[in-house]
Amino acid sequence: MHAAIAPAARRSLATVSAAAPRQQYRVVVVGGGAAGVTVAAQLGKHAAFFNKKDVLIIEPSETHYYQPLWTLVGGGLKSLSSTARPMASVIPSHADWLKARVSKIEPTANVVRTDDGKEIAYDFLVVAPGISINIDKIEGLKESLGKDGVSTNYLAAHVEKTFEFIKAFQGGNAIFTQPSTPIKCAGAPQKIMYLAEEHFRDKGLRGQTNVSFYSGIGKIFGVDKYANSLTEVCKKRDINVNLLHDLVAVRPDKKQAVFKKVGGDGGPGEVVVAYDFLHVTPPMGPLPFIRESGLADEAGWVSVDRATTQHVAFKNVFSLGDSSSLPTSRTAAAVAAQSGVTTANLLSAIEGRPLAAAYDGYTSCPLVTGRDKLILAEFNGYTLQPRETFHFDQSVERPSMYRLKADMLDKIYWELMLKGNWVGPAPFRPLLNPLDRN
Ligand code: FAD
Ligand code: UQ1
């Protein structure tokens, strides 16, 4: 019996002390985040897995976070605790949980190794450990975070600081950054800016405040329809937008942010800007153990077929979510749509049938523009064309869409998606958008 593997049936126990029956599973899932738990839950609905302990989730964290609400936590509209649940409470009852970090995957031997020296063999593997937040890649950021007006909504340990600093802000330069790397939820770097700007305005500080967005990429948003709306929002609210500026250093002693110009008009160069409040979206990238696993593409993402989510070389390996190479915008909404495809194709692979399910690139980004306003971007991340669920124009700021985000999507996530009953809004589109106005 294995000392650190907890049958989820005992998940109400405070300590993980129960033992697993074996070191080999039909399916091993790396990562108990949005993708890992959702696919594991969906597998349990099928006869091959129902009521059996044939799925193992390997996940080091005691807490499962609903990260999409962190924008509202940073904006002072939700508590961090409302976004957290014990990991044990989201592990499906037909799965075991090994509380450890995967350090190595050996796909030629069908084995994964953990940082505490365990070796687990699998027949099929689902790789979903998410994305790496690389704060070390910005000089001075690690030392600055959480102090003197520097924060990020992208780390649980720092997100509450964002609102502390917004509340304490007395005017001056408020700066919001987005890196040139791929990131999760590409809209989140600017959502917090709109909430902060609204707060400054309400406090009568707007006249003495410059609000600036600095992005390492060349567009405010990847899909023109929503980029046009966001550009209008920025104009209307006197927000300066500086594209092709990548944050490279923070100098906390001088309260300066240093940007590298990425091509653009004046050619490459350095821009130094004084800040009084600085919200940083750090550069992100693949986790090092994925890069070294033999499963990665050149960039370091798990190299999967963009329709089936099956690994391009190892046919018993699947990947979805932020760690995968799926060339769409990385969101929980995308994970929802991918999960149904991954589960269906994994079951087909297990049963020796052809893989019939195909992911179309669907993703969504609820662009919060204020305490009661939201542009619900929904699109095909492969073609960058809108793919909207509702019959109205979703590029317009709407209170109803804010309520959907603030009050409903978290319930959909915890109660439906993580229990294997939500693959995104596609099944409801014929009802909600009958003429398929897109
Ligand atoms: P995660 O959910 O991050 O899960 C990865 C899991 O793997 C984690 O539990 C981690 O502990 C574990 N892990 C890491 N390393 C290892 C290892 N070595 N071994 C085993 N396990 C490991 N999405 C939306 O749809 N809408 C939004 O509005 C939205 N807003 C966001 C705002 C912010 C500020 C942030 C941070 C994210 C937002 N997202 C949003 C993105 C969304 O949360 C992610 O895209 C989604 O969680 C990805 O799921 P995943 O399972 O791939 O990764
Ligand atoms: C979604 O399905 C989803 O997964 C639960 C999200 O993650 C938090 C989302 O942010 C969004 C927008 C969707 C899409 C759902 C609807 C109802 C449009």
Side-chain angles (χ1 to χ4, degrees), residues 366-429:
L367 294 153
V368 176
T369 53
R371 266 193 308 272
D372 64 350
K373 282 184 288 190
L374 188 143
I375 291 168
L376 182 58
E378 279 187 287
F379 54 100
N380 179 327
Y382 293 169
T383 61
L384 297 181
Q385 292 307 307
R387 193 78 184 97
E388 300 187 344
T389 297
F390 298 100
H391 60 88
F392 45 77
D393 179 357
Q394 293 180 203
S395 68
V396 173
E397 295 173 281
R398 289 176 194 274
S400 58
M401 294 295 98
Y402 179 82
R403 299 268 49 111
L404 174 73
K405 157 97 185 162
D407 305 332
M408 291 174 69
L409 288 175
D410 59 336
K411 285 154 194 94
I412 289 177
Y413 181 81
W414 294 115
E415 304 309 329
L416 295 179
M417 183 167 157
L418 293 191
K419 293 183 176 161
N421 296 317
W422 179 258
V423 292
F428 305 99
R429 209 174 285 131

Side-chain angles (χ1 to χ4, degrees), residues 18 55 69 139 148 163 174 187 202 214 217 275 282 345 388 409:
V55 179
L69 269 189
E139 197 188 315
D148 280 339
F163 192 57
D202 289 352
Y214 284 86
I217 52 181
Y275 67 81
N345 286 337
E388 300 187 344
L409 288 175

Side-chain angles (χ1 to χ4, degrees), residues 349-370:
I350 289 170
E351 289 160 12
R353 290 182 275 116
L355 310 193
Y359 171 57
D360 62 2
Y362 171 84
T363 188
S364 170
C365 189
L367 294 153
V368 176
T369 53

Side-chain angles (χ1 to χ4, degrees), residues 279-343:
H279 180 271
V280 180
T281 299
M284 299 177 206
L287 287 152
F289 85 99
I290 296 292
R291 273 187 191 283
E292 293 146 19
S293 64
L295 293 173
D297 65 10
E298 251 174 43
W301 309 110
V302 186
S303 189
V304 291
D305 179 87
R306 64 184 233 161
T308 64
T309 80
Q310 185 183 45
H311 193 268
V312 292
F314 296 94
K315 302 299 178 194
N316 61 340
V317 177
F318 289 77
S319 179
L320 71 166
D322 294 352
S323 64
S324 77
S325 66
L326 295 168
T328 190
S329 179
R330 291 174 165 80
T331 63
V335 167
Q338 292 158 9
S339 65
V341 172
T342 300
T343 302

Side-chain angles (χ1 to χ4, degrees), residues 30-36 58-61 67-68 70-71 87 100-102 128-130 153-154 184-185 188 191 287 289 320-323 330-333 335 364 366 405:
V30 180
I58 309 180
E59 162 63 56
S61 178
Q67 302 167 41
W70 287 355
T71 295
M87 188 61 69
R101 189 173 293 278
V102 172
N153 281 357
Y154 274 86
K184 50 181 158 186
C185 198
K191 298 178 199 177
L287 287 152
F289 85 99
L320 71 166
D322 294 352
S323 64
R330 291 174 165 80
T331 63
V335 167
S364 170
K405 157 97 185 162

Side-chain angles (χ1 to χ4, degrees), residues 96-112:
D96 280 346
W97 171 27
L98 172 56
K99 187 179 174 312
R101 189 173 293 278
V102 172
S103 51
K104 198 158 195 258
I105 302 176
E106 292 177 22
T108 48
N110 295 324
V111 153
V112 299

